[in-house]
Amino acid sequence: MKERDYDDLEPTIIEGHEDNLEETELLDEKTKIIKKTIPAFAWLVCIDRQFSGKRFDVGLGITSIGRGSENDIVIGDDSVSKEHAKIKYIESEDKYKIYDLVSTNGTFVNGERIEAPVEIEDGDLVTFGEVNFIFKRVQIKKIKTKKLGEDYLKEDKE
């Protein structure tokens, strides 16, 4: 097989969220980062209505959910309250918990209406009002390498 020459290719540009814009960083001659993003290791994937198939990132910290435009995840459906729910990542326990904010039509996890904070796990059905989502997450573990002594993130394949 003939080896290809890639010197004539344009630089690869890695893009992210505009609100996390940092100074352009040149990694090498061919690759540069123009924006950096905060990593998301969890998502809500809508499985019905007008948002079917759309993925919403759940951040590390607190993610607000509702119909109002000030939320991190905006669900424009009349069954969803303006400030409907919050999902909190608890780093010390490596868990995500969901909180209903006394919404009119409720928040449900696997068909059960929640009254108090509930832990959510990969594959759980989460419903805000009448809109259904599947909660997905990737578990990440920090490991130490003896050779370099730095922390690296590694996907946990459990």
Side-chain angles (χ1 to χ4, degrees):
M1 182 175 216
K2 186 179 175 185
E3 196 171 318
R4 296 178 66 176
D5 183 16
Y6 293 104
D7 288 336
D8 61 338
L9 295 178
E10 291 295 316
T12 302
I13 297 174
I14 303 168
E15 296 187 37
H17 296 295
E18 291 177 11
D19 56 345
N20 294 318
L21 182 61
E22 292 186 13
E23 198 174 303
T24 301
E25 179 182 337
L26 188 63
L27 295 178
D28 61 33
E29 296 174 359
K30 299 288 180 190
T31 306
K32 67 180 176 177
I33 295 177
I34 60 169
K35 297 177 190 172
K36 292 185 179 180
T37 60
I38 297 170
F41 300 113
W43 306 269
L44 288 168
V45 180
C46 189
I47 58 171
D48 64 8
R49 300 205 175 213
Q50 72 267 31
F51 304 105
S52 186
K54 185 166 168 79
R55 184 189 88 183
F56 300 89
D57 289 351
V58 175
L60 299 177
I62 298 174
T63 303
S64 61
I65 301 145
R67 197 176 69 245
S69 61
E70 66 281 350
N71 290 291
D72 298 312
I73 297 175
V74 178
I75 306 169
D77 188 275
D78 289 338
S79 69
V80 177
S81 296
K82 286 183 181 177
E83 294 178 358
H84 197 98
K86 290 190 180 197
I87 296 176
K88 182 178 181 181
Y89 176 69
I90 302 166
E91 187 175 4
S92 62
E93 300 175 22
D94 189 32
K95 293 180 181 178
Y96 286 88
K97 287 191 176 182
I98 190 166
Y99 300 73
D100 182 71
L101 300 178
V102 195
S103 61
T104 303
N105 294 315
T107 301
F108 301 80
V109 176
N110 297 322
E112 297 288 325
R113 188 172 187 146
I114 65 168
E115 302 292 332
V118 172
E119 181 181 348
I120 52 176
E121 298 177 348
D122 185 52
D124 281 348
L125 174 67
V126 179
T127 306
F128 304 103
E130 298 173 3
V131 186
N132 294 303
F133 295 82
I134 298 295
F135 179 74
K136 298 299 296 174
R137 79 165 288 189
V138 175
Q139 287 195 288
I140 303 296
K141 286 187 176 178
K142 283 190 176 181
I143 59 170
K144 290 259 189 204
T145 60
K146 290 182 182 180
K147 189 175 184 181
L148 299 175
E150 296 181 15
D151 286 340
Y152 288 91
L153 295 177
K154 180 180 177 184
E155 189 174 332
D156 185 16
K157 302 281 186 181
E158 291 180 11

